């Protein structure tokens, strides 16, 4: 005699979910509870993070210290003085822009009405053979600005938005199992946890919607 789907779902779910099978949506609720229980166990065992697992970011042991990599000063100078990107392409000057944008040099949001520079950039080495070493658009302040000065903390351009967090190994290959979408306020915990993995060499933080590069983070020296 075959057992009912409801009964099999009850075995996987917690006892409190058994009574849910009495209603027309009982199986769906029981299965959902079972899946949540599995996700919790995975988060606790492997340090996985997802939007529903924020309580599991807390750990009793200290997490890895990290270091935000400064944006290259030579790229900034060339963009401002010569209007070129690292490959000799044009850096577009946008005077009195009517929008704010995340400057990758000072790592703060620009003020509306300020000048901007828009150019291509890649955080990977120029000779990286990785297929993930793509180039993409970034903004810089159109005027002089100070480089980001607190590398032990994530900058404003990260903490004030939702972000896409990607981990890479020593060959610049993306580690798909460690990719996350996170609220910027939680990004520091996510990055520190990722850097605890021996196979993770660097972490890139990008905008969640468009995937534009914001900054690179490595283990603290």
């Amino acid at each position: 005699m075959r057992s009912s789907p409801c009964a099999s779902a009850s075995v996987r779910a917690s006892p409190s979910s058994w009574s849910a099978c009495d209603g027309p949506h009982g199986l769906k609720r029981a299965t959902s509870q079972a899946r949540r229980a599995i996700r919790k166990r995975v988060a606790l065992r492997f340090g996985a993070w997802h939007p529903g697992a924020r309580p599991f970011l807390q750990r009793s042991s200290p997490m890895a210290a990290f270091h935000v990599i400064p944006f290259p000063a030579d790229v900034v100078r060339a963009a401002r003085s010569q209007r070129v990107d690292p490959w000799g392409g044009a850096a577009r000057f946008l005077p009195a822009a009517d929008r704010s944008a995340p400057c990758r040099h000072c790592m703060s949001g620009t003020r509306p009405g300020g000048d901007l520079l828009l150019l291509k950039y890649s955080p990977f080495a120029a000779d990286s053979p990785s297929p993930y070493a793509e180039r993409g658009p970034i903004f810089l302040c159109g005027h002089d600005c100070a480089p980001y000065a607190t590398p032990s903390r994530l900058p404003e351009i990260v903490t004030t938005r939702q972000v896409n967090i990607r981990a890479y190994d020593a060959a610049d290959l993306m580690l798909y199992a460690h990719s996350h979408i996170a609220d910027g306020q939680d990004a520091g915990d996510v990055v520190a946890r990722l850097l605890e993995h021996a196979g993770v060499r660097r972490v890139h933080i990008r905008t969640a919607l468009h995937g534009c590069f914001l900054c690179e983070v490595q283990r603290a020296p």
Side-chain angles (χ1 to χ4, degrees), residues 147-172:
Y148 185 61
T150 53
S152 61
R153 298 201 306 267
L154 293 182
E156 172 193 313
I157 60 173
V158 170
T159 59
T160 56
R161 56 172 38 85
Q162 194 175 45
V163 291
N164 181 331
I165 302 175
R166 304 177 185 178
Y168 297 85
D169 65 13
D172 293 338

Side-chain angles (χ1 to χ4, degrees), residues 33-57:
Q33 289 180 357
R35 287 174 177 168
R36 283 198 298 271
I38 291 171
R39 285 199 296 268
K40 288 180 181 179
R41 289 197 294 271
V42 170
L44 287 170
R45 173 65 180 83
F46 297 104
W49 187 93
H50 55 83
R54 292 178 65 175
F56 302 101
L57 290 173

Side-chain angles (χ1 to χ4, degrees), residues 3 20 74 78 92 109 115 119 128 185 187 204 213 215-216:
S3 60
D74 58 331
R92 296 187 60 186
D115 299 338
L119 62 148
S128 175
Q185 293 293 329
H204 288 174
F213 174 80
C215 67
E216 177 174 319

Side-chain angles (χ1 to χ4, degrees), residues 65-70 151-154 191 195 216-221:
F66 58 74
H67 180 83
V68 177
I69 303 302
S152 61
R153 298 201 306 267
L154 293 182
V191 169
L195 291 172
E216 177 174 319
V217 186
Q218 297 182 14
R219 293 178 184 86

